[in-house]
């Protein structure tokens, strides 16, 4: 299992690198305004993929995993979901294209300029839906590493296609080439998994309806998860549309860069959540054990978030210039706000997932929808008053509200609460990020004095973290040091104990 998790983590790192390289190239070629157009169109397509599939790719994972080991039943499940998701993809394209054709100003008159690109990008929706199904099919067949590699290779193909497209034909070329690459990847992916898993296409769609009748809880579960997913997806889309309409395409490009860096800080933690934490809390452990697992996991990821967030907050301008271009430097002053958003998101997500693990899926959906619903109301006023920082503030408010609702339900229903160590580390993380932003806002980043001061601050943070680590966390970190470093640490500790008779 450790080898599999390590392999998946390594592939996830490659996915992050591919995404960053794509963003860097497009930012250099298009500038903030062009990058803002692409980010808005991309998020629209992602939202349509998530909403139009009705969470069926995720439901398919549950059904097919149950039938693993029974080849005929597994093949029937795959064929059924393939037909259903393919039909949903085509229907999504037709409905969306119809709306954009007959109501071109549906998103506002300022955004009509995006319509030609949206109409092209829509053609890739069915292939994107099927790509998720193929990845989940391999995962259901207990081929996690193959699933991760398939995902990475498809994303790499799309990234290469987008770069070639922008060089050949600008923004329009991005979608002409990525749609073609997406369709080709879907064909190759289908042939690959059918050959690897020996699948055939001979099932009737009625199998899906029969399965739903036999398992009505699956329908309820899918609907509630779909509601939460829709709330998140629509809110992220609304963020971009409000910024694009209110602040312009260039600011929308800066927003995408800031969100991208924030999501990168938490990307590896999302994999840990999915591959380790979610299986644990969905097992048959008693409630106290699940509570303990959630608090322990929250403390561990907060440690990683503080380290990653500190680096981003200390050198925001350097990071934006390195990952994008000097034209994105105006966003350096508010990057810390998106790091805080990701810090709150990861914390809230732990306890939202705990609700699902305790079969409180309805409470999970309500907490998520209420939080993001309030965020959507806050966007216009926050963005007009605070600019891009207002977008991060509204998203953070949404997650605070969701976390309060989730923790209230956990406390009332199961007497589950957040332990003091988690709260203390979370507050320390907020102080570290805010301190890194405001202590050095008037100090150049890459001068000798700037680097020295930031290094001293980072060293102080590391010392506080080390002193507040639990004994098992210290042992874990020391075990990851090279053997020579561990020997030197042991020798120095032994000498200090010999010098101190009370040690």
């Amino acid at each position: 299992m450790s080898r599999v998790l390590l392999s998946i983590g390594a592939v996830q790192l490659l996915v992050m690198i591919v995404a960053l390289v794509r963003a860097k190239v497009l930012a250099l070629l298009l500038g903030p305004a062009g990058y803002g157009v692409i980010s808005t169109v991309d998020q629209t397509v992602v939202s349509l993929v998530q909403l139009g599939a009705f969470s069926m790719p995720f439901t398919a994972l549950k059904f097919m995993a149950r039938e693993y080991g029974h080849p005929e039943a597994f093949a029937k499940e795959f064929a059924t979901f393939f037909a259903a998701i393919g039909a949903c993809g085509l229907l999504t394209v037709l409905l969306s294209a119809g709306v954009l054709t007959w109501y071109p100003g549906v998103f506002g008159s300022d955004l009509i300029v995006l319509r030609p690109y949206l109409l092209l990008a829509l053609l890739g929706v069915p292939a994107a839906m099927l790509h998720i199904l193929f990845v989940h099919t391999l995962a259901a067949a207990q081929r996690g590493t193959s699933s991760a590699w398939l995902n990475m290779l498809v994303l790499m193909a799309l990234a290469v296609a987008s770069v070639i497209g922008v060089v050949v034909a600008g923004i329009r070329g991005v979608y002409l080439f990525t749609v073609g690459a997406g369709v080709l990847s879907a064909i190759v992916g289908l042939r690959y998994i059918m050959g690897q898993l020996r699948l055939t296409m001979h099932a009737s769609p009625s199998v899906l309806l029969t399965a739903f009748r036999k398992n009505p809880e699956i329908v309820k579960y899918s609907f509630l998860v779909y509601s939460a997913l829709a709330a998140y997806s629509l809110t992220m889309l609304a963020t971009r549309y409000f910024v694009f309409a209110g602040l312009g395409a260039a600011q929308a490009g800066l927003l995408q860069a800031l969100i991208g860096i924030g999501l990168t800080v938490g990307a590896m933690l999302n994999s840990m959540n999915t591959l380790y934490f979610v299986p644990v809390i969905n097992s048959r452990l008693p409630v106290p054990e699940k509570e303990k697992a959630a608090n322990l996991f929250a403390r561990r990821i907060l440690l990683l978030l503080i380290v990653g967030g500190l680096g981003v907050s200390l050198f925001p301008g350097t990071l934006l210039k390195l990952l994008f271009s000097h034209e994105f430097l105006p966003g350096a002053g508010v990057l810390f706000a998106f790091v805080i958003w990701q810090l709150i998101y990861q914390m809230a997500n732990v306890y939202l997932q705990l609700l699902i693990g305790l079969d409180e899926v309805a409470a999970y959906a309500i907490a998520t929808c209420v939080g993001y619903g309030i965020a959507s109301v806050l966007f216009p006023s926050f963005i007009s008053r605070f600019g891009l920082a207002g977008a991060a503030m509204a998203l953070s408010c949404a997650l605070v509200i969701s976390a309060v609702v989730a923790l209230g339900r956990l406390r009332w229903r199961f007497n589950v609460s957040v332990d003091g160590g988690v709260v203390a580390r979370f507050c320390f993380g907020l102080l570290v990020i805010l301190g890194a932003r405001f202590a050095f806002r008037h100090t150049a980043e890459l001068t000798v004095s700037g680097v020295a001061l930031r290094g001293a601050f980072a060293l102080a943070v590391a010392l506080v973290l080390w002193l507040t680590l639990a004994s098992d966390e210290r042992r874990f970190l020391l075990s990851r040091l090279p053997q020579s470093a561990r020997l030197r640490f042991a020798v120095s500790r032994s000498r200090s104990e010999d010098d101190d008779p009370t040690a």
Side-chain angles (χ1 to χ4, degrees), residues 311-323:
V312 172
S313 301
L314 286 175
F315 297 95
T318 302
L319 196 61
L320 281 167
K321 188 175 180 179
L322 178 65
L323 295 179

Side-chain angles (χ1 to χ4, degrees), residues 71 87 118 168 177 183 236 284 289 296 354 394 404 425-426 465 474:
L118 282 170
V168 173
F177 279 76
V183 172
M236 296 305 293
R284 297 183 180 274
E289 291 297 320
L296 180 61
L354 181 57
V404 169
R425 190 166 287 180
F426 175 76
L465 282 177
R474 291 186 184 183

Side-chain angles (χ1 to χ4, degrees), residues 91-218:
L91 184 61
T92 300
V93 172
L94 292 175
L95 290 176
S96 302
V99 170
L100 288 172
T101 301
W102 285 295
Y103 302 98
V106 64
F107 296 121
S109 58
D110 294 332
L111 299 173
I112 293 179
V113 65
L114 300 179
R115 189 178 67 159
Y117 308 127
L118 282 170
L119 288 172
L120 275 176
L122 284 175
L123 299 177
V125 167
M129 290 183 181
L130 291 174
H131 164 60
I132 300 173
L133 173 65
F134 298 160
V135 169
H136 287 182
T137 300
L138 288 170
Q142 299 183 13
R143 301 193 181 192
T145 303
S146 298
S147 172
W149 273 111
L150 176 62
N151 184 51
M152 197 280 292
L153 291 173
V154 171
L155 292 178
M156 180 178 286
L158 295 175
V160 171
S162 65
V163 171
I164 295 174
V166 75
V167 171
V168 173
I171 296 177
R172 187 183 298 272
V174 171
Y175 298 105
L176 284 171
F177 279 76
T178 53
V179 167
V183 172
L184 181 61
S185 297
I187 295 172
V188 173
L190 177 62
R191 291 181 63 87
Y192 172 74
I193 64 170
M194 289 186 70
Q196 289 292 310
L197 304 179
R198 299 179 182 178
L199 299 174
T200 57
M201 309 289 286
H202 61 266
S204 167
S206 62
V207 175
L208 182 61
L209 298 177
T210 302
F212 282 161
R213 292 191 190 102
K214 290 181 179 179
N215 301 278
E217 285 299 314
I218 296 296

